[in-house]
Coordinates of all heavy atoms in Angstrom, one line a residue:
V181 N 157.6 119.4 -108.7 CA 157.9 120.5 -109.6 C 157.0 120.4 -110.8 O 156.3 121.4 -111.2 CB 159.4 120.5 -110.0 CG1 159.7 121.5 -111.1 CG2 160.3 120.8 -108.8
K182 N 157.0 119.3 -111.5 CA 156.2 119.1 -112.7 C 154.7 119.3 -112.4 O 154.0 119.8 -113.2 CB 156.5 117.8 -113.4 CG 157.9 117.8 -114.0 CD 158.2 116.4 -114.6 CE 157.4 116.3 -115.8 NZ 157.7 115.0 -116.6
G183 N 154.3 118.8 -111.3 CA 152.9 118.9 -110.9 C 152.4 120.3 -110.7 O 151.3 120.7 -111.1
I184 N 153.2 121.1 -110.1 CA 152.9 122.5 -109.9 C 152.9 123.3 -111.2 O 152.1 124.1 -111.5 CB 153.9 123.2 -108.9 CG1 153.7 122.5 -107.5 CG2 153.7 124.7 -108.8 CD1 154.7 122.9 -106.5
E185 N 153.9 123.0 -112.0 CA 154.1 123.7 -113.3 C 153.0 123.4 -114.3 O 152.7 124.2 -115.2 CB 155.5 123.4 -113.9 CG 156.6 124.2 -113.2 CD 157.9 124.1 -113.9 OE1 158.1 123.2 -114.7 OE2 158.7 125.0 -113.6
K186 N 152.3 122.3 -114.2 CA 151.2 122.0 -115.1 C 150.1 122.9 -114.9 O 149.2 123.0 -115.8 CB 150.8 120.5 -115.0 CG 150.0 120.2 -113.8 CD 149.6 118.7 -113.9 CE 148.7 118.3 -112.7 NZ 148.3 116.9 -112.7
Y187 N 150.0 123.6 -113.8 CA 149.0 124.6 -113.6 C 149.5 126.0 -114.0 O 148.8 127.0 -113.7 CB 148.6 124.6 -112.1 CG 147.8 123.4 -111.7 CD1 148.5 122.3 -111.0 CD2 146.5 123.2 -112.1 CE1 147.8 121.2 -110.7 CE2 145.8 122.0 -111.8 CZ 146.5 121.0 -111.1 OH 145.8 119.8 -110.8
G188 N 150.6 126.1 -114.6 CA 151.1 127.4 -115.1 C 151.9 128.2 -114.1 O 152.2 129.4 -114.3
I189 N 152.3 127.6 -113.0 CA 153.1 128.2 -112.0 C 154.6 127.8 -112.1 O 154.9 126.7 -112.0 CB 152.6 127.9 -110.5 CG1 151.1 128.3 -110.4 CG2 153.5 128.5 -109.5 CD1 150.5 127.7 -109.1
P190 N 155.5 128.8 -112.5 CA 156.9 128.4 -112.6 C 157.5 128.0 -111.3 O 157.2 128.6 -110.2 CB 157.5 129.7 -113.2 CG 156.6 130.8 -112.8 CD 155.2 130.2 -112.7
V191 N 158.4 127.0 -111.3 CA 159.0 126.5 -110.1 C 160.5 126.4 -110.4 O 161.0 126.0 -111.5 CB 158.5 125.1 -109.8 CG1 159.2 124.5 -108.6 CG2 157.0 125.2 -109.5
V192 N 161.3 126.7 -109.3 CA 162.8 126.5 -109.4 C 163.1 125.4 -108.4 O 162.5 125.3 -107.3 CB 163.5 127.8 -109.0 CG1 165.0 127.5 -108.8 CG2 163.3 128.9 -110.0
I193 N 164.0 124.5 -108.8 CA 164.4 123.5 -107.9 C 165.9 123.6 -107.6 O 166.7 123.8 -108.6 CB 164.1 122.1 -108.4 CG1 164.5 121.0 -107.4 CG2 164.7 121.8 -109.8 CD1 163.9 119.6 -107.7
Y194 N 166.3 123.6 -106.4 CA 167.8 123.6 -106.0 C 168.2 122.1 -105.9 O 167.5 121.3 -105.2 CB 168.0 124.3 -104.6 CG 167.7 125.7 -104.6 CD1 166.6 126.2 -104.0 CD2 168.7 126.6 -105.1 CE1 166.3 127.6 -104.0 CE2 168.5 128.0 -105.0 CZ 167.3 128.5 -104.4 OH 167.1 129.8 -104.4
V195 N 169.3 121.8 -106.5 CA 169.7 120.4 -106.5 C 171.2 120.2 -106.3 O 172.0 121.1 -106.7 CB 169.3 119.7 -107.8 CG1 167.8 119.7 -108.0 CG2 169.9 120.3 -109.0
Q196 N 171.6 119.1 -105.8 CA 173.0 118.7 -105.7 C 173.4 118.0 -106.9 O 174.6 118.0 -107.3 CB 173.3 117.9 -104.5 CG 173.1 118.7 -103.2 CD 171.7 118.9 -102.8 OE1 170.8 118.2 -103.1 NE2 171.4 120.0 -102.1
F197 N 172.5 117.2 -107.6 CA 172.8 116.4 -108.7 C 171.9 116.8 -109.9 O 170.8 116.4 -110.0 CB 172.5 114.9 -108.4 CG 173.4 114.4 -107.2 CD1 172.7 114.2 -106.0 CD2 174.7 114.3 -107.3 CE1 173.5 113.8 -104.9 CE2 175.5 113.9 -106.2 CZ 174.9 113.6 -105.0
V198 N 172.5 117.7 -110.7 CA 171.7 118.2 -111.9 C 171.2 117.1 -112.8 O 170.1 117.1 -113.3 CB 172.6 119.2 -112.6 CG1 171.9 119.6 -113.9 CG2 172.8 120.5 -111.8
P199 N 172.0 116.1 -113.1 CA 171.5 115.0 -114.0 C 170.2 114.3 -113.6 O 169.4 114.0 -114.4 CB 172.7 114.0 -114.1 CG 173.9 114.8 -113.8 CD 173.4 115.8 -112.8
I200 N 170.1 114.2 -112.3 CA 168.8 113.5 -111.8 C 167.7 114.5 -112.0 O 166.6 114.0 -112.4 CB 169.0 113.2 -110.3 CG1 170.0 112.1 -110.1 CG2 167.6 112.8 -109.7 CD1 170.4 111.9 -108.6
S201 N 167.8 115.7 -111.8 CA 166.7 116.7 -112.1 C 166.4 116.8 -113.5 O 165.2 116.9 -113.9 CB 167.1 118.1 -111.6 OG 167.2 118.0 -110.2
R202 N 167.4 116.6 -114.4 CA 167.1 116.6 -115.8 C 166.3 115.3 -116.2 O 165.3 115.4 -117.0 CB 168.4 116.6 -116.6 CG 169.1 117.9 -116.6 CD 170.4 117.8 -117.4 NE 171.0 119.1 -117.5 CZ 172.3 119.3 -117.7 NH1 173.1 118.3 -117.9 NH2 172.8 120.5 -117.8
T203 N 166.6 114.2 -115.5 CA 165.9 113.0 -115.8 C 164.5 113.0 -115.4 O 163.6 112.5 -116.1 CB 166.6 111.8 -115.1 OG1 168.0 111.7 -115.5 CG2 165.9 110.5 -115.3
I204 N 164.2 113.7 -114.3 CA 162.8 113.8 -113.8 C 162.0 114.9 -114.5 O 160.8 115.0 -114.4 CB 162.7 113.9 -112.3 CG1 163.3 115.2 -111.8 CG2 163.3 112.7 -111.6 CD1 162.9 115.6 -110.4
G205 N 162.7 115.7 -115.3 CA 162.0 116.7 -116.1 C 161.8 118.1 -115.5 O 161.0 118.8 -115.9
A206 N 162.6 118.4 -114.4 CA 162.5 119.7 -113.9 C 162.9 120.8 -114.9 O 163.8 120.5 -115.7 CB 163.4 119.8 -112.6
N207 N 162.2 121.9 -114.9 CA 162.5 122.9 -116.0 C 163.5 123.9 -115.6 O 164.3 124.3 -116.4 CB 161.2 123.6 -116.4 CG 160.3 122.6 -117.2 OD1 160.8 121.9 -118.1 ND2 159.0 122.6 -117.0
R208 N 163.4 124.5 -114.4 CA 164.4 125.5 -113.9 C 165.2 124.9 -112.8 O 164.7 124.7 -111.7 CB 163.6 126.7 -113.5 CG 163.0 127.5 -114.6 CD 162.2 128.7 -114.0 NE 161.6 129.5 -115.1 CZ 160.5 129.2 -115.7 NH1 159.8 128.2 -115.3 NH2 160.0 130.0 -116.6
I209 N 166.5 124.7 -113.1 CA 167.3 124.0 -112.1 C 168.5 124.9 -111.7 O 169.1 125.5 -112.5 CB 167.9 122.7 -112.8 CG1 166.8 121.8 -113.3 CG2 168.9 122.0 -111.9 CD1 167.3 120.7 -114.3
I210 N 168.7 124.9 -110.4 CA 169.8 125.7 -109.8 C 170.7 124.7 -109.0 O 170.2 124.1 -108.1 CB 169.3 126.8 -108.9 CG1 168.5 127.8 -109.7 CG2 170.5 127.5 -108.2 CD1 167.9 129.0 -108.9
P211 N 172.0 124.6 -109.4 CA 172.9 123.8 -108.6 C 173.1 124.4 -107.2 O 173.3 125.5 -107.0 CB 174.2 123.9 -109.3 CG 173.8 124.3 -110.7 CD 172.6 125.2 -110.6
A212 N 172.9 123.5 -106.2 CA 173.0 123.9 -104.8 C 174.5 123.8 -104.3 O 175.3 123.3 -105.1 CB 172.1 123.0 -103.9
V213 N 174.7 124.2 -103.1 CA 176.1 124.2 -102.6 C 176.6 122.8 -102.3 O 177.7 122.4 -102.8 CB 176.2 125.0 -101.3 CG1 177.5 125.0 -100.7 CG2 175.8 126.5 -101.6
G214 N 175.8 122.0 -101.6 CA 176.3 120.6 -101.3 C 175.1 119.8 -100.6 O 174.1 120.3 -100.3
I215 N 175.4 118.5 -100.4 CA 174.4 117.6 -99.9 C 173.9 118.0 -98.5 O 172.7 118.2 -98.2 CB 174.8 116.2 -100.0 CG1 174.9 115.8 -101.5 CG2 173.9 115.3 -99.3 CD1 175.5 114.4 -101.7
P216 N 174.8 118.1 -97.5 CA 174.3 118.4 -96.2 C 173.8 119.8 -96.0 O 172.9 120.0 -95.1 CB 175.5 118.1 -95.3 CG 176.7 118.3 -96.2 CD 176.3 117.9 -97.5
Y217 N 174.3 120.7 -96.7 CA 173.8 122.1 -96.6 C 173.6 122.7 -98.0 O 174.5 123.4 -98.5 CB 174.9 122.9 -95.8 CG 175.2 122.4 -94.5 CD1 176.3 121.6 -94.2 CD2 174.3 122.6 -93.4 CE1 176.5 121.1 -93.0 CE2 174.5 122.0 -92.2 CZ 175.6 121.3 -91.9 OH 175.9 120.7 -90.7
P218 N 172.5 122.5 -98.6 CA 172.3 122.9 -100.0 C 172.3 124.4 -100.2 O 172.6 124.9 -101.2 CB 171.0 122.3 -100.4 CG 170.3 122.0 -99.1 CD 171.3 121.7 -98.1
L219 N 171.9 125.2 -99.1 CA 171.8 126.6 -99.3 C 172.7 127.4 -98.4 O 172.4 128.5 -97.9 CB 170.3 127.0 -99.1 CG 169.3 126.4 -100.0 CD1 167.9 126.9 -99.7 CD2 169.6 126.7 -101.4
G220 N 173.9 126.9 -98.2 CA 174.8 127.6 -97.3 C 176.0 126.7 -97.0 O 176.1 125.5 -97.5
D221 N 176.9 127.2 -96.2 CA 178.1 126.5 -95.9 C 178.5 126.9 -94.4 O 179.1 127.9 -94.2 CB 179.3 126.8 -96.8 CG 180.5 125.9 -96.6 OD1 180.6 125.2 -95.5 OD2 181.4 126.0 -97.4
P222 N 178.1 126.1 -93.4 CA 178.4 126.5 -92.0 C 179.9 126.6 -91.7 O 180.2 127.3 -90.8 CB 177.7 125.4 -91.2 CG 177.6 124.2 -92.1 CD 177.5 124.8 -93.5
T223 N 180.8 126.0 -92.5 CA 182.2 126.2 -92.2 C 182.7 127.5 -92.6 O 183.8 127.9 -92.2 CB 183.0 125.1 -93.0 OG1 182.9 125.3 -94.4 CG2 182.6 123.7 -92.7
E224 N 181.9 128.3 -93.3 CA 182.3 129.7 -93.7 C 181.8 130.7 -92.7 O 182.1 131.9 -92.9 CB 181.7 130.0 -95.1 CG 182.3 129.1 -96.2 CD 183.7 129.4 -96.5 OE1 184.2 130.6 -96.4 OE2 184.4 128.5 -96.9
G225 N 181.1 130.3 -91.7 CA 180.5 131.3 -90.8 C 179.2 131.8 -91.2 O 178.8 131.7 -92.4
E226 N 178.4 132.3 -90.3 CA 177.1 132.8 -90.5 C 177.0 133.9 -91.5 O 176.1 133.9 -92.4 CB 176.4 133.2 -89.2 CG 174.9 133.5 -89.3 CD 174.1 132.4 -89.9 OE1 174.4 131.2 -89.7 OE2 173.2 132.7 -90.7
E227 N 177.9 134.8 -91.5 CA 177.8 136.0 -92.4 C 178.0 135.5 -93.9 O 177.3 135.9 -94.8 CB 178.8 137.0 -92.0 CG 178.7 138.3 -92.8 CD 179.6 139.4 -92.4 OE1 179.8 139.5 -91.1 OE2 180.2 140.1 -93.2
E228 N 179.0 134.7 -94.1 CA 179.3 134.2 -95.4 C 178.1 133.3 -95.9 O 177.7 133.3 -97.1 CB 180.6 133.5 -95.5 CG 181.0 133.1 -96.9 CD 181.2 134.3 -97.8 OE1 181.6 135.4 -97.4 OE2 181.0 134.1 -99.0
S229 N 177.6 132.4 -95.0 CA 176.5 131.5 -95.3 C 175.3 132.4 -95.7 O 174.6 132.0 -96.7 CB 176.2 130.7 -94.1 OG 176.1 129.3 -94.5
Y230 N 175.1 133.5 -95.1 CA 174.0 134.3 -95.4 C 174.1 134.9 -96.8 O 173.2 134.9 -97.6 CB 173.8 135.5 -94.4 CG 172.7 136.5 -94.8 CD1 171.4 136.2 -94.3 CD2 173.0 137.6 -95.5 CE1 170.4 137.1 -94.6 CE2 171.9 138.4 -95.8 CZ 170.7 138.2 -95.4 OH 169.6 139.0 -95.7
K231 N 175.4 135.3 -97.2 CA 175.6 135.8 -98.5 C 175.4 134.7 -99.6 O 174.9 135.0 -100.7 CB 177.1 136.3 -98.6 CG 177.3 137.6 -97.8 CD 178.8 137.9 -97.9 CE 179.1 139.1 -97.1 NZ 180.5 139.5 -97.1
I232 N 175.8 133.5 -99.3 CA 175.5 132.4 -100.2 C 174.0 132.2 -100.4 O 173.6 132.1 -101.6 CB 176.2 131.1 -99.7 CG1 177.7 131.2 -99.7 CG2 175.7 129.9 -100.5 CD1 178.4 130.1 -98.9
R233 N 173.3 132.2 -99.3 CA 171.8 132.0 -99.4 C 171.2 133.2 -100.2 O 170.3 132.9 -101.1 CB 171.2 131.9 -98.0 CG 171.4 130.6 -97.3 CD 170.6 130.4 -96.1 NE 170.8 131.4 -95.1 CZ 171.8 131.4 -94.2 NH1 172.6 130.4 -94.2 NH2 171.9 132.4 -93.3
E234 N 171.6 134.4 -100.0 CA 171.1 135.5 -100.7 C 171.3 135.4 -102.2 O 170.5 135.6 -103.0 CB 171.7 136.8 -100.2 CG 171.1 138.0 -100.8 CD 171.7 139.3 -100.3 OE1 172.8 139.3 -99.6 OE2 171.1 140.4 -100.5
K235 N 172.5 135.0 -102.6 CA 172.9 134.8 -104.0 C 172.0 133.7 -104.6 O 171.5 133.9 -105.8 CB 174.3 134.4 -104.2 CG 175.3 135.6 -104.0 CD 176.7 135.1 -104.1 CE 177.7 136.2 -103.7 NZ 179.1 135.8 -103.8
L236 N 171.7 132.6 -103.9 CA 170.9 131.6 -104.4 C 169.5 132.0 -104.6 O 168.8 131.7 -105.6 CB 171.0 130.3 -103.6 CG 172.3 129.6 -103.7 CD1 172.5 128.5 -102.5 CD2 172.4 128.9 -105.0
V237 N 169.0 132.8 -103.6 CA 167.6 133.3 -103.7 C 167.4 134.3 -104.9 O 166.5 134.2 -105.7 CB 167.1 133.9 -102.4 CG1 165.8 134.6 -102.5 CG2 167.0 132.8 -101.3
R238 N 168.4 135.1 -105.0 CA 168.4 136.1 -106.2 C 168.4 135.3 -107.5 O 167.7 135.7 -108.5 CB 169.5 137.1 -106.1 CG 169.3 138.1 -105.0 CD 170.5 139.1 -104.9 NE 170.3 140.0 -103.8 CZ 169.6 141.1 -103.7 NH1 168.8 141.4 -104.7 NH2 169.5 141.8 -102.6
R239 N 169.2 134.3 -107.6 CA 169.3 133.5 -108.8 C 167.9 132.8 -109.1 O 167.5 132.7 -110.2 CB 170.4 132.4 -108.7 CG 170.7 131.7 -110.0 CD 171.8 130.7 -109.9 NE 173.0 131.4 -109.4 CZ 173.8 130.8 -108.5 NH1 173.6 129.6 -108.1 NH2 174.9 131.4 -108.0
A240 N 167.3 132.4 -108.0 CA 165.9 131.8 -108.2 C 164.9 132.8 -108.7 O 164.1 132.5 -109.6 CB 165.5 131.2 -106.9
F241 N 165.0 134.0 -108.2 CA 164.0 135.0 -108.7 C 164.3 135.3 -110.2 O 163.4 135.5 -110.9 CB 164.2 136.3 -107.9 CG 163.6 136.3 -106.5 CD1 164.1 136.9 -105.4 CD2 162.4 135.6 -106.3 CE1 163.6 136.9 -104.2 CE2 161.8 135.5 -105.0 CZ 162.4 136.2 -104.0
K242 N 165.6 135.4 -110.5 CA 165.9 135.6 -111.9 C 165.4 134.4 -112.8 O 164.9 134.7 -113.9 CB 167.4 135.8 -112.1 CG 167.9 136.2 -113.5 CD 169.3 136.5 -113.5 CE 169.7 136.9 -114.9 NZ 171.1 137.2 -115.0
A243 N 165.6 133.2 -112.3 CA 165.2 132.1 -113.0 C 163.7 132.1 -113.2 O 163.2 131.7 -114.3 CB 165.6 130.8 -112.3
L244 N 162.9 132.4 -112.2 CA 161.5 132.5 -112.3 C 161.0 133.5 -113.3 O 159.9 133.4 -113.9 CB 160.9 132.8 -111.0 CG 160.9 131.6 -109.9 CD1 160.5 132.1 -108.6 CD2 160.1 130.4 -110.4
Q245 N 161.8 134.6 -113.5 CA 161.4 135.6 -114.4 C 161.9 135.4 -115.9 O 161.5 136.1 -116.8 CB 162.0 137.0 -114.0 CG 161.4 137.4 -112.6 CD 162.1 138.6 -112.1 OE1 163.1 139.1 -112.7 NE2 161.7 139.1 -110.9
T246 N 162.7 134.4 -116.1 CA 163.3 134.1 -117.4 C 162.4 133.1 -118.2 O 162.1 132.0 -117.7 CB 164.7 133.4 -117.2 OG1 165.5 134.3 -116.5 CG2 165.3 133.1 -118.6
P247 N 161.9 133.6 -119.3 CA 161.1 132.7 -120.1 C 162.0 131.5 -120.7 O 163.1 131.8 -121.1 CB 160.6 133.5 -121.3 CG 160.9 134.9 -120.9 CD 162.0 134.9 -119.9
I248 N 161.5 130.3 -120.6 CA 162.2 129.2 -121.1 C 161.3 128.3 -122.0 O 160.1 128.4 -121.8 CB 162.8 128.3 -120.0 CG1 161.7 127.8 -119.1 CG2 163.8 129.1 -119.2 CD1 162.2 126.7 -118.1
T249 N 161.9 127.6 -122.9 CA 161.2 126.6 -123.7 C 161.6 125.2 -123.5 O 161.0 124.3 -124.1 CB 161.3 127.0 -125.2 OG1 162.7 127.0 -125.5 CG2 160.7 128.4 -125.5
E250 N 162.7 125.0 -122.7 CA 163.2 123.7 -122.4 C 163.9 123.7 -121.1 O 164.1 124.8 -120.5 CB 164.1 123.2 -123.5 CG 165.3 124.1 -123.8 CD 166.1 123.7 -125.0 OE1 166.0 122.5 -125.5 OE2 166.9 124.5 -125.4
Q251 N 164.3 122.6 -120.6 CA 165.0 122.5 -119.3 C 166.2 123.4 -119.3 O 166.9 123.5 -120.3 CB 165.5 121.1 -119.1 CG 164.4 120.1 -118.7 CD 165.0 118.7 -118.4 OE1 165.7 118.2 -119.2 NE2 164.6 118.2 -117.3
T252 N 166.3 124.2 -118.3 CA 167.4 125.2 -118.2 C 168.1 125.0 -116.8 O 167.4 125.0 -115.8 CB 166.9 126.6 -118.4 OG1 166.1 126.6 -119.6 CG2 168.0 127.6 -118.4
V253 N 169.4 125.0 -116.8 CA 170.2 125.0 -115.6 C 170.8 126.4 -115.5 O 171.5 126.9 -116.3 CB 171.4 124.0 -115.7 CG1 172.2 124.0 -114.4 CG2 170.8 122.6 -115.9
F254 N 170.5 127.0 -114.4 CA 170.9 128.4 -114.1 C 172.2 128.2 -113.3 O 172.2 127.9 -112.1 CB 169.9 129.2 -113.4 CG 168.7 129.5 -114.2 CD1 167.7 128.6 -114.4 CD2 168.7 130.7 -114.9 CE1 166.6 128.9 -115.2 CE2 167.6 131.0 -115.8 CZ 166.6 130.1 -115.9
E255 N 173.3 128.4 -113.9 CA 174.7 128.2 -113.4 C 175.0 129.2 -112.3 O 174.5 130.3 -112.2 CB 175.7 128.2 -114.5 CG 175.5 127.1 -115.6 CD 175.7 125.7 -115.1 OE1 176.3 125.5 -114.0 OE2 175.2 124.8 -115.8
K256 N 176.0 128.8 -111.5 CA 176.5 129.7 -110.4 C 177.1 131.0 -110.9 O 177.0 132.0 -110.2 CB 177.6 128.9 -109.6 CG 177.0 127.8 -108.9 CD 178.1 127.0 -108.1 CE 177.5 125.8 -107.4 NZ 178.4 125.1 -106.7
D257 N 177.6 131.1 -112.1 CA 178.2 132.3 -112.6 C 177.1 133.3 -113.1 O 177.5 134.4 -113.6 CB 179.2 132.0 -113.7 CG 178.6 131.4 -115.0 OD1 177.4 131.3 -115.0 OD2 179.3 131.1 -115.9
G258 N 175.9 133.0 -112.9 CA 174.8 133.9 -113.4 C 174.3 133.6 -114.8 O 173.3 134.1 -115.2
G259 N 175.1 132.8 -115.5 CA 174.6 132.4 -116.8 C 173.6 131.2 -116.8 O 173.2 130.8 -115.7
K260 N 173.3 130.8 -117.9 CA 172.4 129.6 -118.0 C 172.9 128.7 -119.0 O 173.5 129.1 -120.0 CB 170.9 130.0 -118.1 CG 170.6 130.7 -119.5 CD 169.1 131.0 -119.5 CE 168.8 131.7 -120.9 NZ 167.5 132.0 -121.0
S261 N 172.6 127.4 -118.8 CA 172.9 126.4 -119.9 C 171.6 125.7 -120.3 O 170.9 125.3 -119.4 CB 174.0 125.5 -119.4 OG 173.5 124.7 -118.4
L262 N 171.4 125.6 -121.5 CA 170.2 124.8 -122.0 C 170.6 123.4 -122.1 O 171.7 123.0 -122.5 CB 169.7 125.4 -123.3 CG 169.3 126.9 -123.2 CD1 168.9 127.4 -124.6 CD2 168.2 127.1 -122.3
T263 N 169.6 122.5 -121.8 CA 169.9 121.1 -121.9 C 169.1 120.5 -123.1 O 168.2 121.1 -123.6 CB 169.4 120.4 -120.6 OG1 168.0 120.7 -120.4 CG2 170.3 120.8 -119.5

């Protein structure tokens, strides 16, 4: 993430453990669903899993368009928290 961003390209990282991403210096962080399935939940069925993935991708697009000056966690409720 940091290597790509040093060239001026914004990057979003989906993570299960936000504190680890903060430690490594990721700038735009999105909490993922879980460890085995970060971008969906197969126990919810394919249609619901698709909705989860769509929300996460939309959140990533919004995060990429948001100017930031420090590490930012884009929370599940659509808000953001600054670290």
Side-chain angles (χ1 to χ4, degrees):
V181 171
K182 290 176 72 175
I184 295 171
E185 286 189 339
K186 75 178 180 180
Y187 292 103
I189 301 169
V191 176
V192 170
I193 184 168
Y194 293 102
V195 299
Q196 290 77 28
F197 303 109
V198 172
I200 294 172
S201 293
R202 287 181 177 156
T203 301
I204 63 168
N207 287 320
R208 290 176 176 85
I209 303 167
I210 297 178
V213 176
I215 293 173
Y217 303 99
L219 300 178
D221 185 352
T223 64
E224 296 292 327
E226 186 56 36
E227 188 174 321
E228 188 61 31
S229 229
Y230 179 86
K231 290 177 185 177
I232 292 169
R233 287 191 299 275
E234 182 178 17
K235 287 178 186 178
L236 287 167
V237 170
R238 289 182 186 277
R239 190 174 309 136
F241 285 144
K242 184 175 181 177
L244 288 170
Q245 295 171 359
T246 302
I248 61 170
T249 57
E250 57 187 344
Q251 288 182 308
T252 306
V253 178
F254 292 84
E255 301 290 346
K256 294 178 181 180
D257 63 2
K260 64 181 182 178
S261 67
L262 301 177
T263 57

